[in-house]
Amino acid sequence: FRCNQDCSFCWQRRDWPEPPAERFFGWLDEFAGMGLDHLFVSGGEPTTWKRLPELIERAAGTHGMTVILQTNAIALGSSTYLQRLRDAGLASASISLHAGDAALSDAMTRAPGTFDRTLQGIAACRQAGLPLHLTCVVERANLGSLAEHARLVVERFVRPFPDSPPPSVAYAHPCLSVDEAAFAAACPPLDAVRGPLADATRILVEAGVPVTSVGGCGFPACALVDAPDLLVRLSPEDLRDDDTSSRRYGAACDDCAMKPWCIGLRREYLDVHGEAGLRPFDRLPDLPEAGGDLSQSLALR
């Protein structure tokens, strides 16, 4: 749970106790014995743990797992360290990038100077050819600059690498943070989200970047009710098993034509805003199937 940033929207405390190192390796061996073949390493910030390369090597080399690292990429700007993780078997990284400029990012992460280091880490990963997924938690603070965030991704991490598949991007519906009062103040209502989210999604889609703005960790489908062309319907064979344990529908969702393709709102949003901003679809929009030029995905429920 240690971290070199201190994001106000994090759902973990920095002072939670840490198991003995060998416990992690024991859990890993148990996972492999159960037949699991993917390992997602999260934190805190996993790169602050000195034995991370060893854990990745055990997972990938010994157990043949596909290993994904969730990180702020601060440490990945070191070519030596990044190569060490790649040599250990790291397959891809999921990187937190919450703003398009240093002042806003450093304020949200409460870690001055780290925005530029995150950008350096992302650039190093792109140069090394490591597949990437970028996540932006959408709060009141960064809502008005989501388009700037999208343009940054395109200009810094897509166009300079024309021969490499672009990173995917997720705009995340914020979950309940450790500081519940801070969450209530920071969580934006859907009416405020709708325009900026569509603008940022369109910038990325037009640049060929895979985007998740709804479904998964994202918003309900009606967050893009005014831009239905940005929605893509998954075919049955492509359906994902999204975790809906933290999701709820409002009464307004009962008559929504998109409800079968929507995992709903985070329940903590309903606790703060009620059903504010819910706008049901009167009819099912004419959506393209997944796999086309538009990359936004919805999970069929």
Side-chain angles (χ1 to χ4, degrees):
F1 299 113
R2 292 187 301 271
C3 190
N4 43 19
Q5 292 183 326
D6 186 28
C7 304
S8 60
F9 47 85
C10 188
W11 60 273
Q12 300 170 342
R13 290 191 184 278
R14 304 280 73 83
D15 57 356
W16 284 349
E18 179 178 307
E22 291 306 319
R23 186 74 59 83
F24 290 116
F25 292 92
W27 284 333
L28 176 60
D29 294 341
E30 290 180 20
F31 296 155
M34 296 163 62
L36 301 181
D37 56 10
H38 280 69
L39 180 70
F40 191 89
V41 185
S42 184
E45 173 51 46
T47 60
T48 64
W49 192 53
K50 292 182 179 180
R51 298 186 67 179
L52 177 63
E54 183 183 348
L55 185 76
I56 293 174
E57 186 173 19
R58 173 87 70 94
T62 302
H63 297 305
M65 292 179 168
T66 298
V67 182
I68 303 111
L69 176 68
Q70 184 178 38
T71 176
N72 56 32
I74 289 173
L76 303 186
S78 165
S79 58
T80 301
Y81 183 70
L82 176 58
Q83 189 59 50
R84 188 180 177 195
L85 297 185
R86 297 210 70 194
D87 290 344
L90 181 64
S92 65
S94 176
I95 297 177
S96 301
L97 180 67
H98 303 298
D101 69 88
L104 178 55
S105 176
D106 289 351
M108 291 181 68
T109 61
R110 298 190 293 199
T114 58
F115 173 74
D116 289 337
R117 295 177 64 188
T118 291
L119 295 187
Q120 292 167 11
I122 297 172
C125 290
R126 293 293 285 147
Q127 291 165 1
L130 184 70
L132 296 183
H133 175 75
L134 307 178
T135 297
C136 174
V137 175
V138 177
E139 294 199 308
R140 289 184 188 270
N142 61 352
L143 183 60
S145 61
L146 290 186
E148 181 181 358
H149 174 277
R151 284 190 288 267
L152 172 75
V153 171
V154 173
E155 295 298 326
R156 294 286 296 267
F157 307 123
V158 178
R159 289 180 179 162
F161 304 94
D163 299 326
S164 178
S168 58
V169 175
Y171 288 110
H173 194 356
C175 65
L176 187 64
S177 60
V178 170
D179 187 339
E180 295 189 22
F183 169 81
C187 179
L190 282 178
D191 279 339
V193 169
R194 194 164 280 119
L197 184 68
D199 291 343
T201 300
R202 190 173 302 281
I203 289 169
L204 293 170
V205 165
E206 290 178 351
V209 177
V211 192
T212 301
S213 298
V214 301
C217 66
F219 292 84
C222 65
L224 293 177
V225 67
D226 294 328
D229 60 302
L230 295 176
L231 302 175
V232 170
R233 182 186 306 153
L234 291 177
S235 59
E237 60 269 21
D238 291 329
L239 297 180
R240 298 172 298 164
D241 184 18
D242 280 313
D243 178 11
T244 59
S245 61
S246 65
R247 300 284 182 145
R248 298 290 184 272
Y249 297 108
C253 303
D254 290 346
D255 297 324
C256 180
M258 283 296 295
K259 186 176 180 180
W261 286 270
C262 181
I263 63 174
L265 286 157
R266 293 196 185 277
R267 58 188 177 188
E268 49 265 44
Y269 175 94
L270 291 167
D271 292 339
V272 172
H273 293 299
E275 297 193 20
L278 285 177
R279 283 177 50 193
F281 285 80
D282 295 329
R283 59 181 180 81
L284 191 65
D286 183 18
L287 303 179
E289 295 295 327
D293 291 336
L294 302 181
S295 52
Q296 179 58 48
S297 62
L298 289 169
L300 178 62
R301 304 305 298 176

